[in-house]
Amino acid sequence: MPVMEGRSVAERWKADAANRAKACRARGIVPHLAVVLVGDDPGSQIYVRNKEKACEKAGILSSVIRLDADCTQEELESVVKELNEDEAVHGILVQLPLPGHLSEQRVIDIIDPKKDVDGFHAVNAGKLACGQKGFVPCTAIGVMKLLEAYDIPIRGRRAVIIGRSNIVGKPLAMLLLAADATVTICHSKTENLKEITRQADILVAAVGRANFVTADMVKPGAVVIDVGTNRLNGKLVGDVNAEEVSQTAGYLTPVPGGVGQMTIAMLLSNTMDAAEQYGF
Ligand code: NAP
């Protein structure tokens, strides 16, 4: 079964962002992503470090604003408001998850939609739902770019997404719908899940459970996109039982080296969109 690997596709997108950053700098504008990191969650620290490295390589300035785990909602919101006002900052990202006492929704609501490079603000989610141009969540658009890179036909095909989060499942459903797929979203209350997933030409797993998708859930020849990132016995694994499913699927994205690579590349691309909107 062919592997749909994200690394080389992501490299092309990263190179494109680097070219755009160079052109921006030549006009006197330094593209700038500000990342707000609250607390010392080890996973979040790694994600932020990876984003910093990718920005640096692409010629995008990144700054990380670190707040203590016990900071108040007001402190967090005042940092975001300052970044909204700062003309030298083009993209703002608040690293999730936040400590339990903080409201993610409230802080996302106050990010300037024009700087919302994660695409989580309701204005951008609404634009996506209405087919208008706006920032699209990086993982969802990354999946679409991966399908495009592998010339996977979407129009008229049956796409099934397991997971309905605002970050992955819902925006990806909107994008697949806009690309003329017939889309079904499944979740924890879905009945007869296997019957539904077995109809999918394109099956996306965004659940957050290792080995959740087994071979008997997959139609032979289907394209299977594994968005999940789980730790199993100290190893990074997806939501798909790759050993089993690779015998059935037409394509499968690996974890690591699949969708995760595309997410970072799309963050760079969104940041350049923000810098170009502001700068010219
Ligand atoms: P999330 O907000 O926890 O959503 C998980 C979804 O899975 C929910 O809609 C949930 O249903 C559904 N679900 C849980 N158990 C289920 C079951 N037994 N049957 C059917 N559906 C079930 O997670 P997320 O933020 O979307 O992330 C999903 C996974 O993708 C995680 O592993 C995350 O780490 C990973 N991720 C990876 C990237 C990347 O760049 N590779 C980016 C983002 C996320 P309910 O809504 O009913 O609870």
Side-chain angles (χ1 to χ4, degrees), residues 216-274:
D216 57 341
M217 295 169 74
V218 178
K219 174 172 152 179
V223 173
V224 181
I225 306 289
D226 192 351
V227 177
T229 48
N230 310 289
R231 288 262 156 215
L232 188 67
N233 305 324
K235 234 180 100 189
L236 182 67
V237 298
D239 288 344
V240 175
N241 183 327
E243 209 178 306
E244 266 187 47
V245 170
S246 59
Q247 309 297 317
T248 308
Y251 271 112
L252 173 64
T253 61
V255 178
V259 174
Q261 292 290 323
M262 294 301 296
T263 299
I264 293 217
M266 293 302 114
L267 174 64
L268 301 183
S269 180
N270 281 356
T271 303
M272 287 315 307
D273 286 346

Side-chain angles (χ1 to χ4, degrees), residues 47 120 138-140 161-170 185-190 193 205-210 212 217 226-230 237-239 255 258-264:
Y47 287 133
F120 296 163
C138 303
T139 303
I161 304 168
I162 318 174
R164 58 174 163 181
S165 71
N166 292 340
I167 292 172
V168 186
K170 282 186 207 160
I185 309 182
C186 302
H187 47 77
S188 67
K189 311 295 183 291
T190 297
L193 181 66
V207 184
R209 289 196 189 188
F212 184 83
M217 295 169 74
D226 192 351
V227 177
T229 48
N230 310 289
V237 298
D239 288 344
V255 178
V259 174
Q261 292 290 323
M262 294 301 296
T263 299
I264 293 217

Side-chain angles (χ1 to χ4, degrees), residues 32-37 48-49 52 62-67:
H32 185 176
L33 172 69
V35 179
V36 182
L37 175 61
V48 168
R49 184 70 204 115
E52 275 184 291
S62 69
S63 45
V64 181
I65 297 97
R66 291 170 200 276
L67 298 173

